[in-house]
């Protein structure tokens, strides 16, 4: 789990990042980013699968992002996971998210 100081929790903040920020896309996820304070939120739509699958994918993505918080350089992120991420392995999701996060650095 991300520490509380690194979580976007209010819907207004999440909407602001999505509307005002820029985005990076991959086949497994879209990352919306905006200048902020190194916080993240994760969006898993119901098209991803049942609750167990959505939670599994969200936990994987959260763990990947948590390992790269130091390199975010004060960006707020909203990671929107695509349905293809439900069938991907941890390694596939990690390589997709890390390559997108490296573009921010």
């Amino acid at each position: 789990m991300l520490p509380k100081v690194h979580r976007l929790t209010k819907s207004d903040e999440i909407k602001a990042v999505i509307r005002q920020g820029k985005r990076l896309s991959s086949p497994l996820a879209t990352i919306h980013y905006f200048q902020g304070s190194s916080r993240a939120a994760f969006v898993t739509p119901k098209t991803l699968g049942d609750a167990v699958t959505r939670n599994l994918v969200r936990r994987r993505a959260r763990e990947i992002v948590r390992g790269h918080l130091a390199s975010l350089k004060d960006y707020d992120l909203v990671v929107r996971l695509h349905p293809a991420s439900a069938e991907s392995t941890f390694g596939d999701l990690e390589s997709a998210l890390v390559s997108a996060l490296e573009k921010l650095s």
Side-chain angles (χ1 to χ4, degrees):
M1 175 155 277
L2 290 174
K4 187 159 178 88
V5 296
H6 292 295
R7 283 186 248 160
L8 281 171
T9 56
K10 297 185 177 163
S11 63
D12 292 340
E13 295 172 338
I14 294 170
K15 287 177 187 175
V17 171
I18 291 172
R19 289 184 183 149
Q20 297 173 3
K22 296 180 182 178
R23 68 180 173 174
L24 298 167
S25 292
S26 76
L28 300 180
T30 299
I31 298 177
H32 299 269
Y33 62 97
F34 189 69
Q35 195 69 30
S37 57
S38 297
R39 298 178 299 166
F42 299 88
V43 177
T44 52
K46 287 193 176 184
T47 57
L48 206 96
D50 61 356
V52 174
T53 304
R54 291 192 308 269
N55 288 331
L56 174 70
V57 174
R58 186 181 307 120
R59 283 192 309 269
R60 287 177 176 176
R62 195 170 34 223
E63 183 63 25
I64 293 164
V65 171
R66 187 174 69 88
H68 293 85
L69 281 175
S71 65
L72 289 181
K73 295 188 179 179
D74 297 331
Y75 284 113
D76 285 343
L77 303 177
V78 175
V79 180
R80 183 181 303 244
L81 296 153
H82 298 172
S85 63
E87 289 131 20
S88 67
T89 64
F90 182 84
D92 294 339
L93 184 61
E94 182 177 30
S95 64
L97 289 177
V98 168
S99 67
L101 290 173
E102 286 175 350
K103 292 177 184 175
L104 292 175
S105 299

